[in-house]
Each structure stands twice: as C-alpha cells, then as structure tokens.
Amino acid sequence: MRIAKDELAKLVTLQEYDRVIDALLAVLADVPKQVAALQAESAAEKAALAEVKDRHTQLLLRRKEKELDLGKKEEEIKKHNIELNSVKTNEAFRAMQSQIDRCKGEASAIETEILVFMEESDAFLREEKEKSTALKAAEIRIAEKIKVLEGQKAESEGKLAAERAKRDAFAAAIPGELLGHYDNVRRRRGGVAMARLEGETCTVCRMNQPPQSKVNLAKGHEIVACESCQRILYPSELAAAKPA
Ligand SMILES: [Zn+2]
C-alpha cells in the first residue's frame, strides 16, 4: 500500500492517541472488578456476623430445652415430696427420699449446664458486638472507597470522551484506506499497529528484518510491514506528526 512520509508520521501519532485511549479503557474496565472485590469484602464481614448470631441462636435453643428439663425435674421433686406424706412404710419412705435426692442431683446438674450456657451466651453477645462494630466500620470504609472509585470512573470517562474526540478529529485527516489498514493491524495485533525499526529489529516483536525493509522504509513510498508480526514499521528517526 502506498503511503506518504507525513502519513506514516500521522499513523505514529494516531498510535499515541490509541495508547492513551486504551489505558483509559483499562482503568474503566478495572473499576467494576475493584467494586466487586470491595462488595465481597463487605459481604464476608456480614456473613461472619450472621454466623455468630446463628450459633448464638442454636445455643439459646439448647438452653431453653435445658430450662424445660429443669422445670420438669422440679415438678417431679414437688410431686415426690407430696407422695412422701402418703407412704406407709419406712422402706417406702427411704426409697422415695432417695428418688427425691436423685432428682435434686439431676436438677443441680442441669442448673450447672444452664449456667455454662449463660456464660457462653455472654461471650456470644460480646463477639456479636465486636463483629457488628467491625462491620459498620468496614461498610463506611468500603462505601468511601467505592465513592472514590466512582469519582475516578467519571473522571476517566470524561477524559476518554475528550481523547476520542481528539483522535477522531486527527484521524479525519488520514486517507480512509490507510486508516482502515491501520485499524485492521491494530485489531489483530493487540492494539499496537505501529512498530519502530531500530537498526534491523522490529522493536515490538524483537525480530530482525531483511535489509531491504530498511531500504524500502527510507524510500518512504510504501507501507513496510514487519516480516514477523505484520505491524507497520516506521524509521527510528521519524517524529510523530504534530496534531492539528
Ligand atoms: Zn514485529
């Protein structure tokens, strides 16, 4: 494809515009990822608190069961104490008395268990309070970070629109066929269409070029592509065209 020397310089400038635009796009693409990571952090804190609350609820249910057991045991003791009045023999009295003592022992054991549950419950309350405070702090911190990110996003979007407008205005001065070729190479080559020839080496893919490439480039009438990566070569002494 034929190309004038000033057009090659324009493509180099265009590449600079595209590099800035791509960097802004990368920043913008990264914002949702960072927001999602922060939201995951907040969700993890919430889940940790919910887990403690859930374990506490389980404990309270077990304590409730124990309190019901204790009530039953106390009823049993009361009933046996009444029965004690109506026993006829000493033997029956002693048997009833020993049953009452057994029930009292069991009631006391249940009471001890309930006390342990109460202490554990206090520990859970403290943990819930700590986790709840940590969650609130994390939520404030995360909301602030997200706000900053959204500010950066808006700023980058503004810059992107301005850079795109500049790029489009500049590209309007480049012949359509040449621009199409540049865009094609750029699309196929990871966003980089232009490659500086340094000595005999393509500075993007680092492959050596045949001597004829340098000669053709010096003539400056045709596009010279890198033999390896197919990018559009330009001589190292070529300065980018000044944008209008
Ligand atoms: Zn190359």
Side-chain angles (χ1 to χ4, degrees):
M1 192 182 292
R2 293 198 63 80
I3 187 167
K5 209 155 207 169
D6 70 314
E7 286 170 351
L8 193 58
K10 280 180 185 168
L11 291 187
V12 175
T13 304
L14 196 60
Q15 175 76 74
E16 278 310 298
Y17 278 123
D18 282 332
R19 195 182 50 77
V20 172
I21 289 168
D22 286 349
L24 287 167
L25 286 172
V27 168
L28 285 170
D30 201 47
V31 168
K33 286 178 207 162
Q34 288 188 59
V35 169
L38 287 168
Q39 282 166 343
E41 214 179 292
S42 170
E45 298 261 8
K46 250 182 225 165
L49 175 61
E51 197 256 350
V52 173
K53 281 188 172 168
D54 189 46
R55 273 162 57 215
H56 191 188
T57 304
Q58 298 302 320
L59 179 98
L60 290 177
L61 286 174
R62 276 176 12 240
R63 183 176 128 188
K64 190 85 210 154
E65 277 170 27
K66 287 291 164 194
E67 280 166 351
L68 289 174
D69 287 349
L70 182 62
K72 275 185 214 155
K73 220 28 99 178
E74 279 164 349
E75 280 301 311
E76 211 176 317
I77 293 166
K78 218 181 274 171
K79 195 178 106 215
H80 289 328
N81 270 324
I82 294 162
E83 285 165 353
L84 208 54
N85 296 325
S86 54
V87 290
K88 302 283 184 275
T89 64
N90 277 343
E91 200 183 340
F93 185 88
R94 275 197 302 276
M96 187 56 73
Q97 190 63 61
S98 91
Q99 201 168 352
I100 289 169
D101 289 345
R102 190 171 47 78
C103 282
K104 280 182 177 167
E106 284 167 2
S108 166
I110 295 171
E111 274 170 347
T112 306
E113 280 183 275
I114 289 172
L115 278 177
V116 172
F117 279 145
M118 284 165 88
E119 277 165 21
E120 285 179 12
S121 187
D122 285 345
F124 271 124
L125 282 176
R126 281 195 297 275
E127 200 181 344
E128 279 172 31
K129 204 176 163 198
E130 274 167 28
K131 288 229 169 6
S132 179
T133 308
L135 173 63
K136 270 182 207 139
E139 277 177 337
I140 290 168
R141 182 174 50 79
I142 285 166
E144 275 168 5
K145 277 191 186 173
I146 289 177
K147 208 174 151 192
V148 169
L149 281 171
E150 277 165 357
Q152 286 169 350
K153 182 174 172 243
E155 199 185 318
S156 295
E157 278 168 345
K159 276 189 199 163
L160 180 64
E163 287 299 325
R164 275 184 167 153
K166 279 199 273 178
R167 192 252 190 217
D168 289 348
F170 185 77
I174 299 169
E177 198 192 353
L178 190 58
L179 193 61
H181 178 67
Y182 166 89
D183 284 334
N184 271 333
V185 178
R186 188 172 125 75
R187 227 182 348 264
R188 286 200 308 266
R189 296 292 149 188
V192 180
M194 307 302 290
R196 200 175 72 249
L197 185 69
E198 201 74 71
E200 291 187 337
T201 310
C202 163
T203 52
V204 178
C205 74
R206 312 304 308 174
M207 293 302 285
N208 276 351
Q209 305 298 308
Q212 192 59 40
S213 292
K214 199 168 189 173
V215 174
N216 289 343
L217 213 48
K219 283 187 200 157
H221 303 311
E222 296 278 338
I223 280 183
V224 182
C226 167
E227 298 267 299
S228 171
C229 72
Q230 305 303 317
R231 289 189 177 90
I232 302 166
L233 291 173
Y234 63 93
S236 55
E237 66 277 12
L238 182 75
K242 286 267 183 301

